[in-house]
Amino acid sequence: SRSRRSTIFFRVLWRQLSVEVSFKMSSELVWAIIRNNSSYLVKRDGLQFSREPGNLMNINSFKYSGLANKKAIGVSAGEGGVVLSLKAKGSRARKPAKANTKILLKKDFRRNAKVIIANTDGNHYRADLKAAALARLSAVSKSLKPKAGIKKSKAKKSAKK
């Protein structure tokens, strides 16, 4: 009876420890694991790139990693404009469905830039990524603009005589 109780207690304790360890894993440990082996990793011509979400420069480095860092910023194209995504901090970080905050930026470039500056530098979130986020915003905004000089020609209707 006593050994059975200790076995059950150990199982419960092991489940609690495994849950606590998964939440308390350091960013450096996560980076050490995913640095050379990741499904997002692209190796070409001796260079390493990354396709992970939240990586602003697509460079395989700890600074820009969206998976390894507790705080990450992503700028991407969305349905109605540019999407700014931020990793949550605090209690929301433990709830995967609510872990990321997505902000749809529909305004012009200057107002979108102000929103990014406010969420990075002004919010003390990741001030070191402000320049990279603005560069990504510039590239995404440019890709969303319609091409100048290409006009759709109207089909001429044939006149009946």
Side-chain angles (χ1 to χ4, degrees), residues 88-119:
K89 45 187 175 173
S91 63
R92 286 181 46 200
R94 292 188 209 101
K95 299 173 184 171
K98 298 178 183 178
N100 293 330
T101 303
K102 294 191 179 192
I103 303 168
L104 184 63
L105 306 175
K106 294 182 180 179
K107 308 260 185 205
D108 61 289
F109 181 79
R110 284 186 309 123
R111 289 194 177 108
N112 292 344
K114 282 184 179 181
V115 170
I116 288 178
I117 291 170
N119 280 300

Side-chain angles (χ1 to χ4, degrees), residues 78-90:
E79 287 284 326
V82 180
V83 177
L84 173 69
S85 57
L86 305 167
K87 250 189 186 181
K89 45 187 175 173

Side-chain angles (χ1 to χ4, degrees), residues 38 44 62 91 96 120 151:
S38 171
R44 285 197 188 128
F62 178 71
S91 63
T120 56
K151 295 180 181 177

Side-chain angles (χ1 to χ4, degrees), residues 136-155:
R136 179 69 133 199
L137 171 69
S138 176
V140 170
S141 296
K142 189 175 180 181
S143 72
L144 291 176
K145 279 187 181 178
K147 305 245 182 205
I150 300 175
K151 295 180 181 177
K152 293 182 180 177
S153 61
K154 294 181 182 179

Side-chain angles (χ1 to χ4, degrees), residues 24-93:
K24 297 198 180 202
M25 197 178 333
S26 69
S27 298
E28 290 79 13
L29 180 61
V30 172
W31 175 246
I33 293 168
I34 67 168
R35 180 178 51 166
N36 292 324
N37 300 311
S38 171
S39 63
Y40 298 110
L41 188 62
V42 178
K43 295 180 182 180
R44 285 197 188 128
D45 300 327
L47 299 173
Q48 290 187 353
F49 299 104
S50 178
R51 293 181 178 158
E52 64 193 32
N55 190 331
L56 291 171
M57 301 297 287
N58 293 340
I59 297 172
N60 189 35
S61 71
F62 178 71
K63 178 181 179 179
Y64 297 113
S65 177
L67 298 175
N69 287 310
K70 301 254 188 241
K71 298 177 180 179
I73 300 170
V75 178
S76 60
E79 287 284 326
V82 180
V83 177
L84 173 69
S85 57
L86 305 167
K87 250 189 186 181
K89 45 187 175 173
S91 63
R92 286 181 46 200

